[in-house]
Amino acid sequence: MSIVNTMLQPLEWLIAQLLILGHRMLTAIGMPDGAGLAWCLAIMGLVLVIRICLLPLFVRQIQSMRRMQAIQPQLQRIQRKYAGRKDPRSQEALQRETMALYRREGANPMGSCLPALVQMPVLCSLFSMLQRLSRIADGTSPAIGGIDRPIAVDIEASRFLGVRVADTFMSVDGVSERLAIGAIVAVMCAALVIMQWLLTHRNTSRTIMESPQFRMQQTMVFVFPVIYIFSGVTLPFGVLLYWVTNNLWNLMQTVAQLRWFPNPGSVADERKSVRDHARENRRRRAAGMPSLEEEAVEAARRSANDRRARESRARRHRSTVVTSD
Protein backbone atom coordinates (compact mmCIF):
# COMPACT_ATOMS: atom_id res chain seq x y z
CA MET A 1 0.00 0.00 0.00
CA SER A 2 2.89 2.38 0.64
CA ILE A 3 3.86 2.17 -3.03
CA VAL A 4 0.29 2.93 -4.08
CA ASN A 5 0.07 5.85 -1.66
CA THR A 6 3.34 7.22 -2.99
CA MET A 7 2.04 7.01 -6.55
CA LEU A 8 -1.20 8.77 -5.58
CA GLN A 9 0.46 11.61 -3.66
CA PRO A 10 0.64 14.00 -6.66
CA LEU A 11 -3.03 13.34 -7.40
CA GLU A 12 -3.95 13.87 -3.75
CA TRP A 13 -2.09 17.18 -3.82
CA LEU A 14 -4.00 18.23 -6.96
CA ILE A 15 -7.36 17.22 -5.46
CA ALA A 16 -6.53 19.17 -2.30
CA GLN A 17 -5.77 22.26 -4.37
CA LEU A 18 -9.02 21.87 -6.34
CA LEU A 19 -10.99 21.50 -3.12
CA ILE A 20 -9.47 24.66 -1.69
CA LEU A 21 -10.05 26.55 -4.95
CA GLY A 22 -13.67 25.42 -5.10
CA HIS A 23 -14.21 26.46 -1.48
CA ARG A 24 -12.71 29.89 -2.12
CA MET A 25 -15.01 30.39 -5.13
CA LEU A 26 -18.06 29.46 -3.05
CA THR A 27 -17.10 31.77 -0.19
CA ALA A 28 -16.43 34.52 -2.71
CA ILE A 29 -20.08 34.41 -3.80
CA GLY A 30 -21.33 34.73 -0.22
CA MET A 31 -21.23 31.30 1.40
CA PRO A 32 -19.88 31.30 4.98
CA ASP A 33 -16.21 30.43 5.52
CA GLY A 34 -15.02 27.74 7.87
CA ALA A 35 -16.81 24.47 8.56
CA GLY A 36 -20.03 24.34 6.60
CA LEU A 37 -21.85 23.52 3.40
CA ALA A 38 -19.22 25.16 1.20
CA TRP A 39 -16.74 22.32 1.77
CA CYS A 40 -19.40 19.71 0.93
CA LEU A 41 -20.31 21.53 -2.27
CA ALA A 42 -16.62 21.83 -3.11
CA ILE A 43 -16.31 18.04 -2.91
CA MET A 44 -19.33 17.64 -5.18
CA GLY A 45 -17.91 20.31 -7.49
CA LEU A 46 -14.90 18.07 -8.09
CA VAL A 47 -17.21 15.97 -10.24
CA LEU A 48 -17.83 18.89 -12.58
CA VAL A 49 -14.12 19.59 -12.97
CA ILE A 50 -13.17 15.95 -13.46
CA ARG A 51 -16.04 15.12 -15.82
CA ILE A 52 -15.42 18.21 -17.96
CA CYS A 53 -11.81 17.10 -18.28
CA LEU A 54 -13.05 13.62 -19.23
CA LEU A 55 -15.41 14.82 -21.98
CA PRO A 56 -12.91 14.00 -24.78
CA LEU A 57 -12.64 10.46 -23.39
CA PHE A 58 -16.43 10.27 -23.21
CA VAL A 59 -16.67 11.20 -26.90
CA ARG A 60 -14.15 8.49 -27.73
CA GLN A 61 -16.13 6.07 -25.57
CA ILE A 62 -19.31 6.80 -27.53
CA GLN A 63 -17.50 6.37 -30.85
CA SER A 64 -15.97 3.09 -29.69
CA MET A 65 -19.31 1.76 -28.44
CA ARG A 66 -21.05 2.72 -31.70
CA ARG A 67 -18.36 0.97 -33.73
CA MET A 68 -18.53 -2.12 -31.53
CA GLN A 69 -22.30 -2.25 -31.90
CA ALA A 70 -22.08 -1.78 -35.67
CA ILE A 71 -19.64 -4.69 -36.16
CA GLN A 72 -21.54 -7.15 -33.96
CA PRO A 73 -23.13 -9.00 -36.94
CA GLN A 74 -19.68 -9.45 -38.54
CA LEU A 75 -18.20 -10.49 -35.20
CA GLN A 76 -20.92 -13.06 -34.67
CA ARG A 77 -20.34 -14.49 -38.16
CA ILE A 78 -16.66 -14.97 -37.31
CA GLN A 79 -17.56 -16.63 -34.01
CA ARG A 80 -20.06 -18.95 -35.70
CA LYS A 81 -17.42 -19.84 -38.29
CA TYR A 82 -15.16 -21.26 -35.56
CA ALA A 83 -17.88 -22.47 -33.18
CA GLY A 84 -17.00 -25.86 -31.70
CA ARG A 85 -13.44 -25.76 -33.04
CA LYS A 86 -11.14 -25.72 -30.01
CA ASP A 87 -7.86 -26.68 -31.67
CA PRO A 88 -5.03 -24.12 -31.37
CA ARG A 89 -4.98 -23.34 -35.09
CA SER A 90 -8.69 -22.51 -35.18
CA GLN A 91 -8.46 -20.41 -32.03
CA GLU A 92 -5.51 -18.51 -33.48
CA ALA A 93 -7.45 -17.91 -36.69
CA LEU A 94 -10.45 -16.69 -34.65
CA GLN A 95 -8.28 -14.20 -32.78
CA ARG A 96 -6.56 -13.09 -35.98
CA GLU A 97 -9.79 -12.46 -37.87
CA THR A 98 -11.34 -10.72 -34.86
CA MET A 99 -8.37 -8.36 -34.45
CA ALA A 100 -8.34 -7.71 -38.21
CA LEU A 101 -12.03 -6.74 -37.99
CA TYR A 102 -11.29 -4.38 -35.09
CA ARG A 103 -8.44 -2.72 -37.01
CA ARG A 104 -10.43 -2.44 -40.23
CA GLU A 105 -13.44 -0.83 -38.54
CA GLY A 106 -11.43 1.23 -36.03
CA ALA A 107 -13.15 -0.46 -33.07
CA ASN A 108 -11.61 -0.90 -29.63
CA PRO A 109 -13.35 -3.24 -27.15
CA MET A 110 -11.55 -1.48 -24.27
CA GLY A 111 -12.53 2.01 -25.41
CA SER A 112 -15.61 2.12 -23.17
CA CYS A 113 -13.48 1.45 -20.07
CA LEU A 114 -11.22 4.50 -20.39
CA PRO A 115 -13.32 6.98 -18.32
CA ALA A 116 -13.73 4.44 -15.51
CA LEU A 117 -9.99 3.67 -15.50
CA VAL A 118 -9.16 7.37 -15.32
CA GLN A 119 -11.66 8.04 -12.52
CA MET A 120 -10.48 5.17 -10.33
CA PRO A 121 -7.19 6.83 -9.22
CA VAL A 122 -9.13 10.04 -8.53
CA LEU A 123 -11.62 8.20 -6.35
CA CYS A 124 -8.83 6.34 -4.54
CA SER A 125 -6.98 9.61 -3.93
CA LEU A 126 -10.09 11.33 -2.63
CA PHE A 127 -10.85 8.35 -0.39
CA SER A 128 -7.29 8.35 0.97
CA MET A 129 -7.37 12.09 1.59
CA LEU A 130 -10.72 12.00 3.40
CA GLN A 131 -9.54 9.04 5.45
CA ARG A 132 -6.51 11.09 6.58
CA LEU A 133 -8.52 14.17 7.52
CA SER A 134 -8.91 13.09 11.13
CA ARG A 135 -5.17 12.43 11.47
CA ILE A 136 -4.32 15.76 9.83
CA ALA A 137 -6.80 17.47 12.17
CA ASP A 138 -5.18 16.01 15.30
CA GLY A 139 -1.67 16.62 13.97
CA THR A 140 -0.57 12.99 13.56
CA SER A 141 -0.39 13.19 9.74
CA PRO A 142 1.28 15.82 7.55
CA ALA A 143 -0.71 18.28 5.48
CA ILE A 144 -1.86 17.35 1.97
CA GLY A 145 -1.24 20.16 -0.45
CA GLY A 146 -2.96 23.19 1.00
CA ILE A 147 -5.07 21.19 3.45
CA ASP A 148 -3.33 21.82 6.75
CA ARG A 149 -4.55 21.21 10.29
CA PRO A 150 -7.06 24.12 10.58
CA ILE A 151 -8.56 23.40 7.15
CA ALA A 152 -8.78 19.68 7.92
CA VAL A 153 -10.69 20.48 11.11
CA ASP A 154 -13.14 22.61 9.09
CA ILE A 155 -13.65 19.97 6.39
CA GLU A 156 -14.10 17.17 8.90
CA ALA A 157 -16.70 19.18 10.80
CA SER A 158 -18.62 20.25 7.68
CA ARG A 159 -22.10 18.77 7.41
CA PHE A 160 -24.47 17.90 4.60
CA LEU A 161 -27.98 16.66 5.49
CA GLY A 162 -26.78 16.69 9.07
CA VAL A 163 -23.90 14.26 8.46
CA ARG A 164 -20.25 15.18 8.88
CA VAL A 165 -17.95 14.67 5.87
CA ALA A 166 -15.72 12.27 7.82
CA ASP A 167 -18.60 10.14 9.17
CA THR A 168 -19.51 6.65 7.95
CA PHE A 169 -22.71 4.67 8.38
CA MET A 170 -21.01 2.56 11.04
CA SER A 171 -19.53 5.48 12.96
CA VAL A 172 -22.67 7.59 13.46
CA ASP A 173 -25.15 6.84 16.22
CA GLY A 174 -28.12 9.01 15.30
CA VAL A 175 -31.02 7.58 13.31
CA SER A 176 -31.34 10.73 11.18
CA GLU A 177 -27.68 10.58 10.18
CA ARG A 178 -27.97 6.92 9.18
CA LEU A 179 -31.14 7.66 7.23
CA ALA A 180 -29.34 10.47 5.39
CA ILE A 181 -26.42 8.20 4.50
CA GLY A 182 -28.86 5.46 3.47
CA ALA A 183 -30.73 7.94 1.26
CA ILE A 184 -27.50 9.00 -0.46
CA VAL A 185 -26.54 5.36 -1.05
CA ALA A 186 -30.06 4.65 -2.37
CA VAL A 187 -29.88 7.54 -4.84
CA MET A 188 -26.40 6.42 -5.85
CA CYS A 189 -27.61 2.86 -6.53
CA ALA A 190 -30.82 3.99 -8.26
CA ALA A 191 -28.91 6.25 -10.63
CA LEU A 192 -26.58 3.38 -11.49
CA VAL A 193 -29.43 0.89 -12.06
CA ILE A 194 -31.36 3.30 -14.29
CA MET A 195 -28.23 4.18 -16.26
CA GLN A 196 -27.28 0.54 -16.84
CA TRP A 197 -30.87 -0.40 -17.71
CA LEU A 198 -31.01 2.39 -20.30
CA LEU A 199 -27.69 1.28 -21.79
CA THR A 200 -28.68 -2.40 -22.00
CA HIS A 201 -32.34 -2.01 -23.08
CA ARG A 202 -32.31 1.25 -25.04
CA ASN A 203 -28.78 1.58 -26.40
CA THR A 204 -28.08 -2.04 -27.40
CA SER A 205 -28.76 -3.28 -30.93
CA ARG A 206 -31.56 -5.81 -31.31
CA THR A 207 -29.03 -8.32 -32.68
CA ILE A 208 -27.09 -8.25 -29.40
CA MET A 209 -30.30 -8.31 -27.33
CA GLU A 210 -31.08 -11.70 -28.89
CA SER A 211 -27.66 -13.14 -28.00
CA PRO A 212 -26.81 -15.18 -24.86
CA GLN A 213 -24.30 -12.51 -23.76
CA PHE A 214 -27.18 -10.08 -23.31
CA ARG A 215 -28.59 -12.13 -20.43
CA MET A 216 -25.24 -11.77 -18.66
CA GLN A 217 -25.37 -7.99 -19.20
CA GLN A 218 -28.84 -7.93 -17.66
CA THR A 219 -27.49 -9.70 -14.59
CA MET A 220 -24.64 -7.20 -14.24
CA VAL A 221 -27.22 -4.39 -13.96
CA PHE A 222 -27.89 -5.53 -10.38
CA VAL A 223 -24.39 -6.66 -9.38
CA PHE A 224 -22.71 -3.27 -9.03
CA PRO A 225 -25.55 -1.69 -7.00
CA VAL A 226 -25.18 -4.52 -4.49
CA ILE A 227 -21.46 -3.74 -4.27
CA TYR A 228 -22.37 -0.08 -3.75
CA ILE A 229 -24.62 -0.99 -0.82
CA PHE A 230 -21.88 -2.90 0.99
CA SER A 231 -19.21 -0.27 0.26
CA GLY A 232 -21.58 2.59 1.08
CA VAL A 233 -21.74 1.67 4.76
CA THR A 234 -17.95 1.81 5.13
CA LEU A 235 -16.96 4.82 3.00
CA PRO A 236 -16.65 8.33 4.44
CA PHE A 237 -19.65 10.51 3.71
CA GLY A 238 -17.48 12.87 1.68
CA VAL A 239 -16.67 10.03 -0.75
CA LEU A 240 -20.38 9.20 -0.98
CA LEU A 241 -21.12 12.82 -1.91
CA TYR A 242 -18.55 12.61 -4.70
CA TRP A 243 -19.88 9.22 -5.81
CA VAL A 244 -23.59 10.14 -5.87
CA THR A 245 -22.85 13.31 -7.82
CA ASN A 246 -20.74 11.32 -10.25
CA ASN A 247 -23.54 8.75 -10.75
CA LEU A 248 -26.13 11.47 -11.33
CA TRP A 249 -23.80 13.04 -13.90
CA ASN A 250 -23.39 9.63 -15.56
CA LEU A 251 -27.17 9.21 -15.69
CA MET A 252 -27.71 12.60 -17.32
CA GLN A 253 -24.84 11.90 -19.70
CA THR A 254 -26.43 8.57 -20.66
CA VAL A 255 -29.78 10.25 -21.33
CA ALA A 256 -28.01 12.77 -23.57
CA GLN A 257 -26.14 9.97 -25.33
CA LEU A 258 -29.36 8.05 -26.04
CA ARG A 259 -31.03 11.14 -27.41
CA TRP A 260 -28.26 12.41 -29.69
CA PHE A 261 -25.65 9.64 -30.13
CA PRO A 262 -27.41 6.24 -29.85
CA ASN A 263 -25.76 3.04 -31.00
CA PRO A 264 -26.78 1.85 -34.47
CA GLY A 265 -29.70 -0.58 -34.51
CA SER A 266 -30.76 0.16 -30.93
CA VAL A 267 -34.20 1.20 -29.68
CA ALA A 268 -32.80 4.66 -28.98
CA ASP A 269 -31.51 4.85 -32.56
CA GLU A 270 -34.97 3.95 -33.90
CA ARG A 271 -36.56 6.63 -31.73
CA LYS A 272 -33.98 9.18 -32.87
CA SER A 273 -34.79 8.32 -36.49
CA VAL A 274 -38.48 9.01 -35.79
CA ARG A 275 -37.62 12.35 -34.13
CA ASP A 276 -35.29 13.33 -36.98
CA HIS A 277 -37.99 12.41 -39.50
CA ALA A 278 -40.59 14.56 -37.73
CA ARG A 279 -38.14 17.46 -37.32
CA GLU A 280 -37.27 17.37 -41.02
CA ASN A 281 -40.97 17.41 -41.94
CA ARG A 282 -41.50 20.45 -39.68
CA ARG A 283 -38.58 22.21 -41.35
CA ARG A 284 -39.95 21.43 -44.80
CA ARG A 285 -43.44 22.57 -43.85
CA ALA A 286 -42.08 25.88 -42.54
CA ALA A 287 -40.12 26.35 -45.79
CA GLY A 288 -43.14 25.53 -47.96
CA MET A 289 -41.55 22.29 -49.20
CA PRO A 290 -43.24 18.88 -49.58
CA SER A 291 -42.92 16.46 -46.68
CA LEU A 292 -40.64 13.43 -46.85
CA GLU A 293 -43.69 11.21 -47.43
CA GLU A 294 -44.96 13.44 -50.26
CA GLU A 295 -41.48 13.52 -51.75
CA ALA A 296 -41.29 9.72 -51.58
CA VAL A 297 -44.71 9.39 -53.25
CA GLU A 298 -43.65 11.84 -55.98
CA ALA A 299 -40.37 9.96 -56.50
CA ALA A 300 -42.29 6.65 -56.75
CA ARG A 301 -44.72 8.23 -59.24
CA ARG A 302 -41.85 9.52 -61.41
CA SER A 303 -40.15 6.13 -61.23
CA ALA A 304 -43.40 4.41 -62.31
CA ASN A 305 -43.87 6.87 -65.17
CA ASP A 306 -40.27 6.36 -66.28
CA ARG A 307 -40.73 2.59 -66.17
CA ARG A 308 -43.93 2.77 -68.22
CA ALA A 309 -42.22 5.06 -70.71
CA ARG A 310 -39.32 2.61 -71.08
CA GLU A 311 -41.72 -0.28 -71.50
CA SER A 312 -43.69 1.70 -74.12
CA ARG A 313 -40.51 2.50 -76.04
CA ALA A 314 -39.47 -1.15 -75.86
CA ARG A 315 -42.86 -2.27 -77.25
CA ARG A 316 -42.66 0.26 -80.10
CA HIS A 317 -39.14 -0.89 -80.84
CA ARG A 318 -40.26 -4.53 -81.00
CA SER A 319 -43.21 -3.57 -83.20
CA THR A 320 -40.90 -1.69 -85.55
CA VAL A 321 -38.55 -4.69 -85.73
CA VAL A 322 -41.45 -7.06 -86.48
CA THR A 323 -42.87 -4.73 -89.13
CA SER A 324 -39.52 -4.36 -90.88
CA ASP A 325 -39.07 -8.13 -90.91
Side-chain angles (χ1 to χ4, degrees):
M1 287 296 295
S2 60
I3 298 177
V4 175
N5 290 336
T6 302
M7 294 175 61
L8 292 179
Q9 278 183 358
L11 196 51
E12 290 181 8
W13 181 90
L14 177 60
I15 289 175
Q17 295 297 324
L18 290 175
L19 271 178
I20 293 173
L21 178 61
H23 182 262
R24 287 175 179 171
M25 293 174 63
L26 291 170
T27 54
I29 61 175
M31 295 194 71
D33 199 357
L37 184 62
W39 281 114
C40 300
L41 295 181
I43 293 173
M44 299 170 74
L46 276 176
V47 176
L48 300 179
V49 176
I50 293 169
R51 298 315 297 264
I52 289 173
C53 294
L54 288 177
L55 279 178
L57 288 180
F58 174 65
V59 173
R60 290 185 61 182
Q61 178 188 27
I62 292 177
Q63 294 171 344
S64 178
M65 292 175 62
R66 288 170 61 88
R67 293 191 187 105
M68 288 298 298
Q69 293 275 351
I71 67 172
Q72 284 303 311
Q74 303 176 62
L75 190 59
Q76 290 176 0
R77 282 196 295 271
I78 295 174
Q79 292 170 346
R80 285 194 299 267
K81 178 181 176 181
Y82 295 98
R85 298 163 63 176
K86 303 299 183 182
D87 58 284
R89 181 173 297 179
S90 298
Q91 292 298 306
E92 181 183 352
L94 171 63
Q95 293 295 326
R96 185 171 61 252
E97 292 187 27
T98 301
M99 295 307 297
L101 175 63
Y102 288 155
R103 286 193 298 270
R104 185 169 64 251
E105 300 296 334
N108 182 5
M110 297 299 295
S112 60
C113 302
L114 282 176
L117 292 175
V118 172
Q119 287 183 80
M120 187 57 66
V122 176
L123 189 61
C124 292
S125 300
L126 179 61
F127 174 77
S128 175
M129 186 188 69
L130 292 175
Q131 286 284 77
R132 290 170 55 187
L133 279 178
S134 59
R135 297 197 301 273
I136 297 174
D138 61 24
T140 59
S141 180
I144 304 175
I147 299 180
D148 53 16
R149 187 173 182 177
I151 292 179
V153 171
D154 287 344
I155 298 176
E156 192 179 26
S158 298
R159 293 179 178 270
F160 184 81
L161 300 178
V163 184
R164 293 190 314 134
V165 166
D167 285 340
T168 67
F169 186 85
M170 306 302 295
S171 67
V172 295
D173 297 323
V175 176
S176 60
E177 288 88 345
R178 290 194 171 183
L179 287 176
I181 295 175
I184 291 294
V185 174
V187 172
M188 187 171 68
C189 294
L192 179 64
V193 170
I194 296 171
M195 180 194 72
Q196 291 186 327
W197 189 90
L198 288 174
L199 289 174
T200 54
H201 291 79
R202 293 290 181 266
N203 205 35
T204 303
S205 68
R206 295 190 182 275
T207 303
I208 297 179
M209 292 176 70
E210 297 170 357
S211 65
Q213 292 84 355
F214 181 70
R215 288 191 291 270
M216 183 179 298
Q217 293 180 5
Q218 287 180 305
T219 304
M220 295 302 293
V221 169
F222 303 100
V223 171
F224 285 107
V226 172
I227 297 175
Y228 274 20
I229 292 174
F230 284 102
S231 61
V233 300
T234 60
L235 293 174
F237 190 64
V239 176
L240 295 182
L241 289 179
Y242 174 92
W243 216 338
V244 71
T245 310
N246 185 68
N247 282 13
L248 291 173
W249 175 286
N250 282 336
L251 177 58
M252 293 185 293
Q253 196 168 254
T254 298
V255 172
Q257 176 186 351
L258 266 62
R259 183 167 182 82
W260 290 297
F261 309 103
N263 287 331
S266 63
V267 174
D269 187 48
E270 295 172 359
R271 293 181 177 180
K272 182 178 183 298
S273 298
V274 173
R275 291 195 304 271
D276 292 345
H277 186 94
R279 183 166 54 250
E280 176 62 17
N281 275 343
R282 289 195 299 269
R283 185 191 68 81
R284 287 168 173 261
R285 186 166 54 249
M289 300 168 59
S291 67
L292 291 171
E293 291 79 8
E294 293 170 342
E295 189 177 80
V297 169
E298 179 62 22
R301 187 186 64 81
R302 288 197 302 267
S303 178
N305 290 339
D306 292 342
R307 185 177 64 256
R308 286 193 292 267
R310 289 194 301 271
E311 292 173 351
S312 177
R313 287 195 299 270
R315 285 194 298 269
R316 287 197 301 269
H317 177 70
R318 286 195 297 269
S319 299
T320 302
V321 171
V322 171
T323 302
S324 62
D325 290 344

